[in-house]
Amino acid sequence: MAHKVLLVDDVSMFLELEKDFLSLSAVDISTARNGEDALRICRQEHPDLVVIDLHMPIMNGAECCRAIKKDPHLSSPVILIASEGKEADRQLCLEAGCDDVLTKPLDRMIFLEAARNLLPAVDRRDRRGSCRINVKFRAFNLTLSGYCINLSQNGLYLAADVDLELDTMLELIFVLPEPVGTIVQAKGRVAWLNTTKARKKSTIDEGFGIQFVDISEIDRQRIDNYVSTLPPTARA
């Protein structure tokens, strides 16, 4: 039986964003628009994880969290989401007894890491697809060429006959084929090596795992849209 996650926010955009974050996880998702409805769903469905926005009408996130924690029949861990840079909001969340606090704007990897810490069924890995896309990249004031073997919105595998060290910063540019058909520019770092000196996967060409460190949200979404059309890549 799939685990249950309840997402609570009065803004549809954030509910859809969180649902997209959890799209690869083996969980059933319910939603609510205020704390009162969330508490009712908790008592009916007993979700395995509840993610609640702090600022909502009728009953705010802190009040809802406090009610969940006081109910002896409920044991759901709770993540509260506050506004970035507002320490008073963070303290309000902690005083409500939540299990973790995140801030908006939400970061996908931070969200999934926090959720997985409380519910192992949450999958932190990316939707990733097999492809072959030419990539130009710049390192140490040199412009070099390689090609992308697999791609996700958070990084790519770059096949290239170049000696680079871990954490080397790169500037990358490549064109997504149709149906997306757009130029993507990003900055990334070498997150892992698959070279002669540090061979991890002999089944693919030598190269590097690249993590994007600076890429627009529009380009992330374009990549994810493109990846959704590709054959999935096996994940280690």
Side-chain angles (χ1 to χ4, degrees):
M1 180 181 296
H3 293 275
K4 299 177 182 178
V5 176
L6 173 61
L7 306 176
V8 191
D9 201 303
D10 61 319
V11 179
S12 297
M13 178 184 71
F14 288 114
L15 289 177
E16 292 304 314
L17 182 65
E18 292 168 17
K19 286 163 68 175
D20 183 66
F21 288 166
L22 294 168
S23 62
L24 298 181
S25 301
V27 296
D28 289 333
I29 298 174
S30 300
T31 61
R33 296 302 187 97
N34 59 67
E36 187 175 274
D37 286 345
L39 187 58
R40 174 180 53 78
I41 292 172
C42 284
R43 288 169 173 161
Q44 291 175 346
E45 300 185 7
H46 296 270
D48 300 286
L49 175 64
V50 185
V51 182
I52 314 175
D53 185 45
L54 176 60
H55 297 292
M56 294 183 300
I58 304 178
M59 176 188 282
N60 68 33
E63 294 169 335
C64 181
C65 177
R66 195 174 291 112
I68 291 171
K69 295 301 183 180
K70 286 183 177 180
D71 191 323
H73 301 291
L74 298 179
S75 58
S76 305
V78 176
I79 296 174
L80 278 171
I81 299 178
S83 300
E84 186 176 32
K86 294 187 177 180
E87 184 58 29
D89 280 3
R90 178 178 174 81
Q91 288 302 317
L92 186 62
C93 293
L94 294 174
E95 290 167 4
C98 67
D99 298 275
D100 204 348
V101 182
L102 301 180
T103 58
K104 292 180 178 178
L106 292 173
D107 178 275
R108 179 183 183 278
M109 296 307 293
I110 293 174
F111 178 93
L112 291 176
E113 185 70 27
R116 185 172 174 81
N117 285 339
L118 298 170
L119 181 59
V122 170
D123 194 336
R124 294 171 297 188
R125 297 172 292 184
D126 302 328
R127 176 159 54 196
R128 185 176 294 271
S130 299
C131 58
R132 188 180 179 93
I133 300 172
N134 292 328
V135 179
K136 295 287 187 182
F137 63 99
R138 189 166 179 81
F140 310 117
N141 295 318
L142 296 173
T143 300
L144 305 164
S145 297
Y147 57 94
C148 169
I149 288 179
N150 66 64
L151 178 65
S152 80
Q153 63 176 325
N154 290 299
L156 55 81
Y157 181 82
L158 178 61
D161 187 16
V162 182
D163 284 328
L164 296 178
E165 301 295 329
L166 284 174
D167 294 322
T168 299
M169 299 301 297
L170 307 177
E171 296 177 11
L172 307 113
I173 183 168
F174 55 93
V175 178
L176 293 174
E178 297 295 345
V180 178
T182 189
I183 296 173
V184 173
Q185 298 185 67
K187 293 181 180 179
R189 73 172 187 91
V190 176
W192 59 280
L193 302 174
N194 190 44
T195 62
T196 302
K197 297 178 181 178
R199 193 75 161 152
K200 287 188 176 181
K201 296 184 178 181
S202 59
T203 57
I204 57 177
D205 294 346
E206 291 186 17
F208 318 92
I210 304 297
Q211 177 189 14
F212 296 141
V213 297
D214 186 4
I215 183 172
S216 72
E217 287 304 315
I218 292 175
D219 281 343
R220 282 190 195 274
Q221 190 58 56
R222 287 170 174 162
I223 290 172
D224 198 47
N225 290 342
Y226 172 66
V227 168
S228 69
T229 70
L230 299 175
T233 297
R235 302 183 181 93

